[in-house]
Amino acid sequence: MEKEIPFTGILSNKAEENPDFFNWNRVKLRYCDGASFTGDSEDETAELQFRGQRIWAAAMEDLMSKGMRFANQALLSGCSAGGLATIIHCDEFRGLFPRTTKVKCLSDAGLFLDVIDVSGGHTLRNLYSGVVGLQGAQKNLPQICTNHLDPISCFFPQNLIASVKTPLFILNAAYDSWQIQSSLAPPSADPHGYWQQCRLNHAKCTGPQIQFLQGFRNHMLNAIKYFSRSKQNGLFINSCFSHCQTERQDTWFADNSPVIRNKAIALAVGDWYFDRAGVKAIDCPYPCDNTCHHLIFR
């Protein structure tokens, strides 16, 4: 863990880089527990302890005591595992503040889908099963979900987002790079390496591979259908091969940032947070968007 990290994008303190939130108190909570701040278990024989939920609670208590309790407005956001943590802890975060405080949540690249991989298996579900079981996360997952679904399903945001009571904004690339590499087409599901090139660079995908990825996008749009009907929620699903777009300056707010209908992510989030406009932005399918900052891996 670096001693210092640059605060860019949504964390920037410059108006020209972060028009709506530059003058806020901005805090980054270090993530190191491996279960989106939900774990609470120990294995004495293996000398392992997982304390994500307690770390989350201690950090929030510390911030509240340092003055966060006096906030007029608050936004819980996070990217990737932090995006999932945002969804899981959103209502809990809301509950820390008085009713008069404006509180909303922003999940960036946290919409991990329970989908079938290229070999017909369930790579991500199997991974999550291990995480939830090992870390004893079940008791810290939203009860409204665990009451009727198994705990692994309740670690998948598609089964949580519809019941989050606090206004929530979901920002995700329709062709999430991490999910392509680690859930859809990981080497373990692709022993012959048919996906090796496509996994690293979308331009090298074959026609049938692109079709498979369009199927993934359809799954994503299905997963947010009910969620998006709520007036208080926001949405920005762009047809890019990327992952995490709020903390990078080039994707958050810059001259050539990704846009949907001419609106950059920073402005979409700001419009939604401050109730200037409803935001339900869903891009047309790849390859129609030429404003993407696609990730290419070597």
Side-chain angles (χ1 to χ4, degrees), residues 115-132:
V115 289
I116 289 168
D117 62 40
V118 295
S119 72
H122 291 85
T123 295
L124 195 54
R125 175 166 270 274
N126 296 340
L127 177 79
Y128 276 6
S129 170
V131 169
V132 171

Side-chain angles (χ1 to χ4, degrees), residues 8 30 55 66 75 82 85 135 137 182 208 212 222 232 235 245:
T8 55
R30 289 289 201 176
I55 293 168
K66 286 181 161 70
L75 174 63
Q135 296 217 22
S182 305
F212 186 84
N222 259 334
Q232 67 176 13
L235 206 53
Q245 301 181 93

Side-chain angles (χ1 to χ4, degrees), residues 20 34 67 75 83 88 92 107 152 177 185 216 224 266 280 291 297:
D20 279 306
L75 174 63
I88 291 171
E92 195 185 333
S107 171
I152 298 127
S177 302
F216 176 75
I224 54 168
K280 300 285 190 329
T291 68
F297 303 85

Side-chain angles (χ1 to χ4, degrees), residues 70-113:
F70 302 123
N72 296 315
Q73 31 194 28
L75 174 63
L76 176 66
S77 76
C79 128
S80 197
L84 175 56
T86 296
I87 292 167
I88 291 171
H89 293 288
C90 182
D91 286 340
E92 195 185 333
F93 181 73
R94 174 69 194 92
L96 298 173
F97 297 90
R99 279 277 143 228
T100 50
T101 309
K102 183 184 185 92
V103 183
K104 299 191 180 188
C105 305
L106 161 62
S107 171
D108 175 12
L111 196 57
F112 300 102
L113 298 178

Side-chain angles (χ1 to χ4, degrees), residues 4 6 11 46 54 67 111 118 155 203-204 255-256 288:
E4 225 174 74
L11 293 174
R54 298 187 198 197
L111 196 57
V118 295
F155 203 69
K204 305 226 168 121
D255 289 338
N256 69 337
C288 73

Side-chain angles (χ1 to χ4, degrees), residues 185-242:
S188 57
D190 177 38
H192 300 294
Y194 297 134
W195 282 80
Q196 193 183 348
Q197 294 297 305
C198 173
R199 190 187 301 130
L200 302 176
N201 181 352
H202 64 279
K204 305 226 168 121
C205 299
T206 63
Q209 286 173 333
I210 291 292
Q211 277 315 108
F212 186 84
L213 297 175
Q214 299 296 16
F216 176 75
R217 174 177 175 273
N218 290 336
H219 272 290
M220 187 176 290
L221 298 187
N222 259 334
I224 54 168
K225 210 177 239 156
Y226 182 79
F227 166 86
S228 70
R229 289 192 194 133
S230 167
K231 206 168 145 43
Q232 67 176 13
N233 293 333
L235 206 53
F236 194 103
I237 306 290
N238 55 344
S239 292
C240 306
F241 288 79
S242 61

